[in-house]
Amino acid sequence: MIPPQEASARRREIEDKLKQEEETLSFIRDSLEKSDQLTKNMVSILSSFESRLMKLENSIIPVHKQTENLQRLQENVEKTLSCLDHVISYYHVASDTEKIIREGPTGRLEEYLGSMAKIQKAVEYFQDNSPDSPELNKVKLLFERGKDALESEFRSLMTRHSKVVSPVLILDLISGDDDLEAQEDMTLEHLPESVLQDVIRISRWLVEYGRNQDFMNVYYQIRSSQLDRSIKGLKEHFHKSSSSSGVPYSPAIPNKRKDTPTKKPVKRPGRDDMLDVETDAYIHCVSAFVKLAQSEYQLLADIIPEHHQKKTFDSLIQDALDGLMLEGENIVSAARKAIVRHDFSTVLTVFPILRHLKQTKPEFDQVLQGTAASTKNKLPGLITSMETIGAKALEDFADNIKNDPDKEYNMPKDGTVHELTSNAILFLQQLLDFQETAGAMLASQETSSSATSYSSEFSKRLLSTYICKVLGNLQLNLLSKSKVYEDPALSAIFLHNNYNYILKSLEKSELIQLVAVTQKTAERSYREHIEQQIQTYQRSWLKVTDYIAEKNLPVFQPGVKLRDKERQIIKERFKGFNDGLEELCKIQKAWAIPDTEQRDRIRQAQKTIVKETYGAFLQKFGSVPFTKNPEKYMKYGVEQVGDMIDRLFDTSA
């Protein structure tokens, strides 16, 4: 049970709390009333504001719309005015540009092209908007006049500034092949830079806006003429130079190639100097064509549109290329006629030219890339013609050596080297300068499948076989010719001289190595032939030495008086020897052995034989009393006989 004091205290506490709660509740109630009042006031204000906004909106929106309409109208007016100005400007184009077009583009290409752009736009405007307008005809006519003027300017610039390349400059350009640094520096300036830029601009305008390709024909005709004249000028330069200071040399015929001699061949007998000039000139002109054509393509690539470049270039080079090919065919034709005349030294003209054409062919093919097949096939066609005529010349030369007639009046009376031999050897030596070319000629005529892809070894064997054939034909012919001589000794000297000349000539050149490719024993064989002829010659002295030979002498007893018959025999032996010696020395003194070494060797061998035989004879019969006039029979001493033999084969003695 709670004590009364605590209950009383508790009640007071509760009453205090209740009083506080009532006060709080009263405060809240007052606050809510104030809030309601404020809310009512705010709602009233907002309602009033909304009403005012609506009134404002209703009055502003129409004004805004009117302003927008006015702005749009203003923009339309401005656009209309601008369009009118633009349209009106087209009507003034003709009058504004006519003076410039009439005066032409020379010296003011930039301004001229600007005027042409205006005229072109005017043409486009009238075509789209007023095709029946007289203004369209005006600007069209002006545009055509302007285009014609640009074409004329193109032609004028190309004509005035395209110059023939001087021969000296071409030779320098060709010599750049051997000097890479020089080659980099050697570029031809066909047109001055400022002119080139004008030509390029006109070209591009004519293609893009003028819809015109005629200028490309103008271009190739002008440049074609310059190219052709440049090459012809080089040829004339050779002719003029040759008449004064000899043939001008340039490394157009590079001497670093395998089958090219390091020095110029000796002068060919019977060759015309002008023929050598023609050959040299043609070879240089071929090299010049390649270099100039390369340069022309570089120029053309800047000026002519890409898809027209190959065709234009093809047309541009035709005259110069046709000129070279025609001249080449003329050389083939001249060689064909020379073969008929058996003038094989003239045919040799084909060899250096053919070699150069084949060496130059890779560059030719590169330059002619993209040209028509007929253009590309011209050089291979000429090469084939030259190989065919060259092979024909080789074949006919070998036959000519075999069938050269034995004409008595054409035989050397002194038994020296025959002209046929010297000419044959000279021809073969000259082939050494063109081993690969000659071998390829022979290979080109082979019907075997290997001929289509022959190796240098194959062509070398063919050339070796050919040389051996010529030498074999020559040997047979010489044997036949030797029979023209009535004296077998002279015949032997003749064959000796010719065989010796052939052998020495082979040994002095690379011919012996070429012969050895297919005939290993050729050198030994010639030496044997030479020895055989020496022995045959020596037999001519038997009729002299047989008179005094031991086997033909009478046998007698020393101290016993000779019988008349024995004395007569000894007299006959002396007389036969003396007469034979004198006769042979007189005849053989007029014979010739050009080779000093061989001449001395043959004299010495003969002198030894005769002196020994005569010495033994004199020793045996010199003191025998076989005659009252010993000086009549013992006319010569041993040494005197030797001296007489030493004067053999010496027409000056």
Side-chain angles (χ1 to χ4, degrees), residues 109-143:
L109 182 61
E110 197 68 34
E111 182 185 7
Y112 195 87
L113 291 177
S115 295
M116 287 300 291
K118 291 178 184 176
I119 295 168
Q120 185 182 3
K121 286 179 181 175
V123 170
E124 290 170 358
Y125 170 79
F126 288 120
Q127 282 177 335
D128 292 341
N129 298 285
S130 185
D132 298 327
S133 166
E135 290 298 326
L136 176 59
N137 290 332
K138 265 189 192 178
V139 288
K140 261 188 172 181
L141 184 62
L142 202 56
F143 184 82

mmCIF file of all heavy atoms in Angstrom, residues 109-143:
data_model
loop_
_atom_site.group_PDB
_atom_site.id
_atom_site.type_symbol
_atom_site.label_atom_id
_atom_site.label_comp_id
_atom_site.label_asym_id
_atom_site.label_seq_id
_atom_site.Cartn_x
_atom_site.Cartn_y
_atom_site.Cartn_z
ATOM 1 N N LEU A 109 48.152 34.241 -116.764
ATOM 2 C CA LEU A 109 47.349 33.020 -116.803
ATOM 3 C C LEU A 109 46.408 32.916 -115.612
ATOM 4 O O LEU A 109 45.249 32.507 -115.761
ATOM 5 C CB LEU A 109 48.277 31.799 -116.854
ATOM 6 C CG LEU A 109 47.595 30.438 -116.950
ATOM 7 C CD1 LEU A 109 46.770 30.341 -118.224
ATOM 8 C CD2 LEU A 109 48.619 29.310 -116.887
ATOM 9 N N GLU A 110 46.873 33.292 -114.430
ATOM 10 C CA GLU A 110 46.050 33.184 -113.215
ATOM 11 C C GLU A 110 44.774 34.006 -113.355
ATOM 12 O O GLU A 110 43.662 33.520 -113.092
ATOM 13 C CB GLU A 110 46.867 33.658 -112.006
ATOM 14 C CG GLU A 110 46.309 33.224 -110.668
ATOM 15 C CD GLU A 110 46.425 31.726 -110.450
ATOM 16 O OE1 GLU A 110 47.409 31.123 -110.914
ATOM 17 O OE2 GLU A 110 45.501 31.157 -109.842
ATOM 18 N N GLU A 111 44.933 35.253 -113.774
ATOM 19 C CA GLU A 111 43.774 36.145 -113.948
ATOM 20 C C GLU A 111 42.849 35.604 -115.040
ATOM 21 O O GLU A 111 41.620 35.632 -114.910
ATOM 22 C CB GLU A 111 44.270 37.550 -114.324
ATOM 23 C CG GLU A 111 43.156 38.564 -114.486
ATOM 24 C CD GLU A 111 43.660 39.910 -114.979
ATOM 25 O OE1 GLU A 111 44.867 40.005 -115.325
ATOM 26 O OE2 GLU A 111 42.851 40.852 -115.042
ATOM 27 N N TYR A 112 43.451 35.087 -116.090
ATOM 28 C CA TYR A 112 42.671 34.578 -117.219
ATOM 29 C C TYR A 112 41.819 33.385 -116.796
ATOM 30 O O TYR A 112 40.632 33.302 -117.123
ATOM 31 C CB TYR A 112 43.623 34.162 -118.340
ATOM 32 C CG TYR A 112 42.951 33.956 -119.675
ATOM 33 C CD1 TYR A 112 42.767 35.015 -120.552
ATOM 34 C CD2 TYR A 112 42.495 32.699 -120.056
ATOM 35 C CE1 TYR A 112 42.149 34.838 -121.782
ATOM 36 C CE2 TYR A 112 41.879 32.505 -121.275
ATOM 37 C CZ TYR A 112 41.709 33.577 -122.142
ATOM 38 O OH TYR A 112 41.094 33.391 -123.346
ATOM 39 N N LEU A 113 42.440 32.450 -116.049
ATOM 40 C CA LEU A 113 41.691 31.278 -115.594
ATOM 41 C C LEU A 113 40.583 31.676 -114.621
ATOM 42 O O LEU A 113 39.517 31.040 -114.592
ATOM 43 C CB LEU A 113 42.631 30.268 -114.933
ATOM 44 C CG LEU A 113 43.627 29.565 -115.873
ATOM 45 C CD1 LEU A 113 44.549 28.633 -115.078
ATOM 46 C CD2 LEU A 113 42.888 28.770 -116.951
ATOM 47 N N GLY A 114 40.831 32.741 -113.824
ATOM 48 C CA GLY A 114 39.783 33.262 -112.937
ATOM 49 C C GLY A 114 38.586 33.754 -113.738
ATOM 50 O O GLY A 114 37.422 33.498 -113.387
ATOM 51 N N SER A 115 38.848 34.466 -114.821
ATOM 52 C CA SER A 115 37.766 34.954 -115.689
ATOM 53 C C SER A 115 37.036 33.787 -116.345
ATOM 54 O O SER A 115 35.797 33.792 -116.459
ATOM 55 C CB SER A 115 38.339 35.876 -116.775
ATOM 56 O OG SER A 115 38.887 37.036 -116.194
ATOM 57 N N MET A 116 37.776 32.775 -116.754
ATOM 58 C CA MET A 116 37.144 31.609 -117.368
ATOM 59 C C MET A 116 36.239 30.887 -116.377
ATOM 60 O O MET A 116 35.187 30.352 -116.748
ATOM 61 C CB MET A 116 38.222 30.652 -117.891
ATOM 62 C CG MET A 116 38.942 31.136 -119.134
ATOM 63 S SD MET A 116 37.852 31.398 -120.539
ATOM 64 C CE MET A 116 37.387 29.711 -120.938
ATOM 65 N N ALA A 117 36.634 30.886 -115.097
ATOM 66 C CA ALA A 117 35.794 30.259 -114.073
ATOM 67 C C ALA A 117 34.473 31.015 -113.941
ATOM 68 O O ALA A 117 33.397 30.405 -113.807
ATOM 69 C CB ALA A 117 36.541 30.234 -112.742
ATOM 70 N N LYS A 118 34.535 32.351 -113.982
ATOM 71 C CA LYS A 118 33.303 33.159 -113.914
ATOM 72 C C LYS A 118 32.403 32.875 -115.120
ATOM 73 O O LYS A 118 31.188 32.719 -114.992
ATOM 74 C CB LYS A 118 33.658 34.650 -113.883
ATOM 75 C CG LYS A 118 34.325 35.109 -112.595
ATOM 76 C CD LYS A 118 34.687 36.587 -112.694
ATOM 77 C CE LYS A 118 35.453 37.049 -111.463
ATOM 78 N NZ LYS A 118 35.885 38.448 -111.594
ATOM 79 N N ILE A 119 33.006 32.828 -116.288
ATOM 80 C CA ILE A 119 32.227 32.583 -117.512
ATOM 81 C C ILE A 119 31.573 31.208 -117.446
ATOM 82 O O ILE A 119 30.399 31.040 -117.802
ATOM 83 C CB ILE A 119 33.139 32.688 -118.752
ATOM 84 C CG1 ILE A 119 33.672 34.117 -118.897
ATOM 85 C CG2 ILE A 119 32.401 32.270 -120.012
ATOM 86 C CD1 ILE A 119 34.789 34.262 -119.914
ATOM 87 N N GLN A 120 32.325 30.233 -116.958
ATOM 88 C CA GLN A 120 31.782 28.880 -116.883
ATOM 89 C C GLN A 120 30.566 28.828 -115.948
ATOM 90 O O GLN A 120 29.557 28.181 -116.255
ATOM 91 C CB GLN A 120 32.868 27.926 -116.395
ATOM 92 C CG GLN A 120 32.438 26.460 -116.406
ATOM 93 C CD GLN A 120 33.511 25.550 -115.870
ATOM 94 O OE1 GLN A 120 34.554 26.017 -115.447
ATOM 95 N NE2 GLN A 120 33.250 24.262 -115.881
ATOM 96 N N LYS A 121 30.660 29.521 -114.810
ATOM 97 C CA LYS A 121 29.529 29.546 -113.872
ATOM 98 C C LYS A 121 28.322 30.237 -114.490
ATOM 99 O O LYS A 121 27.172 29.830 -114.279
ATOM 100 C CB LYS A 121 29.946 30.253 -112.578
ATOM 101 C CG LYS A 121 30.857 29.405 -111.715
ATOM 102 C CD LYS A 121 31.279 30.146 -110.462
ATOM 103 C CE LYS A 121 32.221 29.292 -109.626
ATOM 104 N NZ LYS A 121 32.738 30.029 -108.452
ATOM 105 N N ALA A 122 28.577 31.289 -115.268
ATOM 106 C CA ALA A 122 27.479 31.994 -115.942
ATOM 107 C C ALA A 122 26.803 31.067 -116.955
ATOM 108 O O ALA A 122 25.563 31.027 -117.062
ATOM 109 C CB ALA A 122 28.010 33.248 -116.637
ATOM 110 N N VAL A 123 27.607 30.303 -117.685
ATOM 111 C CA VAL A 123 27.046 29.342 -118.649
ATOM 112 C C VAL A 123 26.154 28.343 -117.925
ATOM 113 O O VAL A 123 25.027 28.051 -118.358
ATOM 114 C CB VAL A 123 28.181 28.604 -119.406
ATOM 115 C CG1 VAL A 123 27.614 27.439 -120.215
ATOM 116 C CG2 VAL A 123 28.924 29.559 -120.319
ATOM 117 N N GLU A 124 26.653 27.819 -116.813
ATOM 118 C CA GLU A 124 25.880 26.838 -116.047
ATOM 119 C C GLU A 124 24.579 27.453 -115.529
ATOM 120 O O GLU A 124 23.520 26.806 -115.558
ATOM 121 C CB GLU A 124 26.729 26.311 -114.880
ATOM 122 C CG GLU A 124 27.892 25.432 -115.330
ATOM 123 C CD GLU A 124 28.859 25.129 -114.200
ATOM 124 O OE1 GLU A 124 28.632 25.643 -113.073
ATOM 125 O OE2 GLU A 124 29.842 24.386 -114.428
ATOM 126 N N TYR A 125 24.625 28.718 -115.067
ATOM 127 C CA TYR A 125 23.422 29.373 -114.536
ATOM 128 C C TYR A 125 22.361 29.532 -115.626
ATOM 129 O O TYR A 125 21.204 29.139 -115.446
ATOM 130 C CB TYR A 125 23.767 30.748 -113.951
ATOM 131 C CG TYR A 125 22.518 31.545 -113.628
ATOM 132 C CD1 TYR A 125 21.795 31.280 -112.464
ATOM 133 C CD2 TYR A 125 22.044 32.520 -114.503
ATOM 134 C CE1 TYR A 125 20.622 31.981 -112.186
ATOM 135 C CE2 TYR A 125 20.888 33.218 -114.236
ATOM 136 C CZ TYR A 125 20.175 32.945 -113.077
ATOM 137 O OH TYR A 125 19.013 33.618 -112.805
ATOM 138 N N PHE A 126 22.767 30.075 -116.757
ATOM 139 C CA PHE A 126 21.787 30.319 -117.821
ATOM 140 C C PHE A 126 21.239 29.009 -118.404
ATOM 141 O O PHE A 126 20.077 28.935 -118.792
ATOM 142 C CB PHE A 126 22.401 31.184 -118.928
ATOM 143 C CG PHE A 126 22.608 32.613 -118.508
ATOM 144 C CD1 PHE A 126 23.876 33.180 -118.510
ATOM 145 C CD2 PHE A 126 21.534 33.392 -118.090
ATOM 146 C CE1 PHE A 126 24.069 34.491 -118.116
ATOM 147 C CE2 PHE A 126 21.727 34.721 -117.699
ATOM 148 C CZ PHE A 126 22.992 35.268 -117.707
ATOM 149 N N GLN A 127 22.103 27.985 -118.451
ATOM 150 C CA GLN A 127 21.615 26.691 -118.938
ATOM 151 C C GLN A 127 20.549 26.116 -118.013
ATOM 152 O O GLN A 127 19.568 25.527 -118.468
ATOM 153 C CB GLN A 127 22.785 25.698 -119.064
ATOM 154 C CG GLN A 127 23.630 25.912 -120.310
ATOM 155 C CD GLN A 127 24.813 24.973 -120.375
ATOM 156 O OE1 GLN A 127 25.283 24.491 -119.340
ATOM 157 N NE2 GLN A 127 25.310 24.720 -121.579
ATOM 158 N N ASP A 128 20.708 26.328 -116.706
ATOM 159 C CA ASP A 128 19.757 25.780 -115.736
ATOM 160 C C ASP A 128 18.510 26.642 -115.588
ATOM 161 O O ASP A 128 17.412 26.114 -115.381
ATOM 162 C CB ASP A 128 20.436 25.642 -114.359
ATOM 163 C CG ASP A 128 21.523 24.573 -114.372
ATOM 164 O OD1 ASP A 128 21.491 23.732 -115.286
ATOM 165 O OD2 ASP A 128 22.391 24.602 -113.487
ATOM 166 N N ASN A 129 18.689 27.959 -115.673
ATOM 167 C CA ASN A 129 17.584 28.855 -115.320
ATOM 168 C C ASN A 129 16.982 29.617 -116.490
ATOM 169 O O ASN A 129 15.823 30.038 -116.411
ATOM 170 C CB ASN A 129 18.074 29.870 -114.262
ATOM 171 C CG ASN A 129 18.513 29.175 -112.995
ATOM 172 O OD1 ASN A 129 17.686 28.727 -112.218
ATOM 173 N ND2 ASN A 129 19.824 29.076 -112.789
ATOM 174 N N SER A 130 17.770 29.834 -117.524
ATOM 175 C CA SER A 130 17.229 30.613 -118.639
ATOM 176 C C SER A 130 17.860 30.141 -119.946
ATOM 177 O O SER A 130 18.626 30.852 -120.584
ATOM 178 C CB SER A 130 17.525 32.108 -118.408
ATOM 179 O OG SER A 130 16.919 32.894 -119.409
ATOM 180 N N PRO A 131 17.538 28.882 -120.346
ATOM 181 C CA PRO A 131 18.186 28.308 -121.527
ATOM 182 C C PRO A 131 17.892 29.059 -122.820
ATOM 183 O O PRO A 131 18.627 28.914 -123.792
ATOM 184 C CB PRO A 131 17.623 26.883 -121.570
ATOM 185 C CG PRO A 131 16.392 26.906 -120.742
ATOM 186 C CD PRO A 131 16.575 27.949 -119.709
ATOM 187 N N ASP A 132 16.819 29.837 -122.841
ATOM 188 C CA ASP A 132 16.476 30.590 -124.052
ATOM 189 C C ASP A 132 17.050 32.001 -124.043
ATOM 190 O O ASP A 132 16.821 32.779 -124.976
ATOM 191 C CB ASP A 132 14.952 30.665 -124.222
ATOM 192 C CG ASP A 132 14.344 29.282 -124.377
ATOM 193 O OD1 ASP A 132 15.028 28.423 -124.965
ATOM 194 O OD2 ASP A 132 13.228 29.068 -123.899
ATOM 195 N N SER A 133 17.766 32.324 -122.969
ATOM 196 C CA SER A 133 18.270 33.685 -122.827
ATOM 197 C C SER A 133 19.381 33.970 -123.832
ATOM 198 O O SER A 133 20.245 33.129 -124.069
ATOM 199 C CB SER A 133 18.800 33.883 -121.404
ATOM 200 O OG SER A 133 19.565 35.054 -121.317
ATOM 201 N N PRO A 134 19.363 35.151 -124.452
ATOM 202 C CA PRO A 134 20.455 35.525 -125.355
ATOM 203 C C PRO A 134 21.789 35.620 -124.620
ATOM 204 O O PRO A 134 22.851 35.489 -125.217
ATOM 205 C CB PRO A 134 20.020 36.892 -125.902
ATOM 206 C CG PRO A 134 19.008 37.403 -124.940
ATOM 207 C CD PRO A 134 18.320 36.209 -124.375
ATOM 208 N N GLU A 135 21.704 35.847 -123.298
ATOM 209 C CA GLU A 135 22.930 35.924 -122.501
ATOM 210 C C GLU A 135 23.682 34.597 -122.519
ATOM 211 O O GLU A 135 24.909 34.560 -122.441
ATOM 212 C CB GLU A 135 22.603 36.318 -121.052
ATOM 213 C CG GLU A 135 22.135 37.749 -120.887
ATOM 214 C CD GLU A 135 23.214 38.724 -121.306
ATOM 215 O OE1 GLU A 135 24.408 38.423 -121.093
ATOM 216 O OE2 GLU A 135 22.875 39.783 -121.854
ATOM 217 N N LEU A 136 22.918 33.484 -122.598
ATOM 218 C CA LEU A 136 23.558 32.172 -122.627
ATOM 219 C C LEU A 136 24.468 32.050 -123.849
ATOM 220 O O LEU A 136 25.603 31.575 -123.750
ATOM 221 C CB LEU A 136 22.496 31.063 -122.647
ATOM 222 C CG LEU A 136 23.044 29.635 -122.781
ATOM 223 C CD1 LEU A 136 23.988 29.293 -121.628
ATOM 224 C CD2 LEU A 136 21.907 28.628 -122.842
ATOM 225 N N ASN A 137 23.997 32.463 -125.001
ATOM 226 C CA ASN A 137 24.812 32.395 -126.217
ATOM 227 C C ASN A 137 26.059 33.262 -126.093
ATOM 228 O O ASN A 137 27.137 32.897 -126.566
ATOM 229 C CB ASN A 137 23.984 32.836 -127.430
ATOM 230 C CG ASN A 137 22.918 31.812 -127.754
ATOM 231 O OD1 ASN A 137 23.081 30.631 -127.478
ATOM 232 N ND2 ASN A 137 21.805 32.270 -128.313
ATOM 233 N N LYS A 138 25.859 34.433 -125.430
ATOM 234 C CA LYS A 138 26.994 35.352 -125.248
ATOM 235 C C LYS A 138 28.112 34.682 -124.454
ATOM 236 O O LYS A 138 29.270 34.659 -124.863
ATOM 237 C CB LYS A 138 26.530 36.617 -124.503
ATOM 238 C CG LYS A 138 26.166 37.778 -125.393
ATOM 239 C CD LYS A 138 25.953 39.002 -124.505
ATOM 240 C CE LYS A 138 25.302 40.123 -125.332
ATOM 241 N NZ LYS A 138 25.043 41.291 -124.488
ATOM 242 N N VAL A 139 27.742 34.151 -123.270
ATOM 243 C CA VAL A 139 28.776 33.583 -122.399
ATOM 244 C C VAL A 139 29.332 32.275 -122.983
ATOM 245 O O VAL A 139 30.506 31.949 -122.800
ATOM 246 C CB VAL A 139 28.255 33.361 -120.962
ATOM 247 C CG1 VAL A 139 28.086 34.680 -120.240
ATOM 248 C CG2 VAL A 139 26.974 32.560 -120.936
ATOM 249 N N LYS A 140 28.453 31.545 -123.689
ATOM 250 C CA LYS A 140 28.930 30.318 -124.339
ATOM 251 C C LYS A 140 30.000 30.636 -125.375
ATOM 252 O O LYS A 140 31.047 29.983 -125.456
ATOM 253 C CB LYS A 140 27.757 29.593 -125.021
ATOM 254 C CG LYS A 140 27.181 28.444 -124.226
ATOM 255 C CD LYS A 140 26.181 27.707 -125.103
ATOM 256 C CE LYS A 140 25.727 26.428 -124.420
ATOM 257 N NZ LYS A 140 24.768 25.673 -125.240
ATOM 258 N N LEU A 141 29.707 31.639 -126.186
ATOM 259 C CA LEU A 141 30.644 32.056 -127.222
ATOM 260 C C LEU A 141 31.955 32.527 -126.600
ATOM 261 O O LEU A 141 33.050 32.202 -127.068
ATOM 262 C CB LEU A 141 30.013 33.169 -128.070
ATOM 263 C CG LEU A 141 30.835 33.663 -129.268
ATOM 264 C CD1 LEU A 141 31.051 32.521 -130.256
ATOM 265 C CD2 LEU A 141 30.125 34.830 -129.945
ATOM 266 N N LEU A 142 31.819 33.291 -125.506
ATOM 267 C CA LEU A 142 33.000 33.808 -124.812
ATOM 268 C C LEU A 142 33.821 32.652 -124.220
ATOM 269 O O LEU A 142 35.056 32.656 -124.268
ATOM 270 C CB LEU A 142 32.557 34.772 -123.707
ATOM 271 C CG LEU A 142 33.596 35.792 -123.217
ATOM 272 C CD1 LEU A 142 34.140 36.628 -124.357
ATOM 273 C CD2 LEU A 142 32.972 36.691 -122.152
ATOM 274 N N PHE A 143 33.104 31.661 -123.681
ATOM 275 C CA PHE A 143 33.785 30.491 -123.106
ATOM 276 C C PHE A 143 34.579 29.746 -124.187
ATOM 277 O O PHE A 143 35.723 29.341 -123.966
ATOM 278 C CB PHE A 143 32.755 29.554 -122.461
ATOM 279 C CG PHE A 143 33.371 28.374 -121.767
ATOM 280 C CD1 PHE A 143 33.888 28.472 -120.482
ATOM 281 C CD2 PHE A 143 33.455 27.139 -122.404
ATOM 282 C CE1 PHE A 143 34.458 27.381 -119.847
ATOM 283 C CE2 PHE A 143 34.032 26.046 -121.785
ATOM 284 C CZ PHE A 143 34.530 26.170 -120.493
#
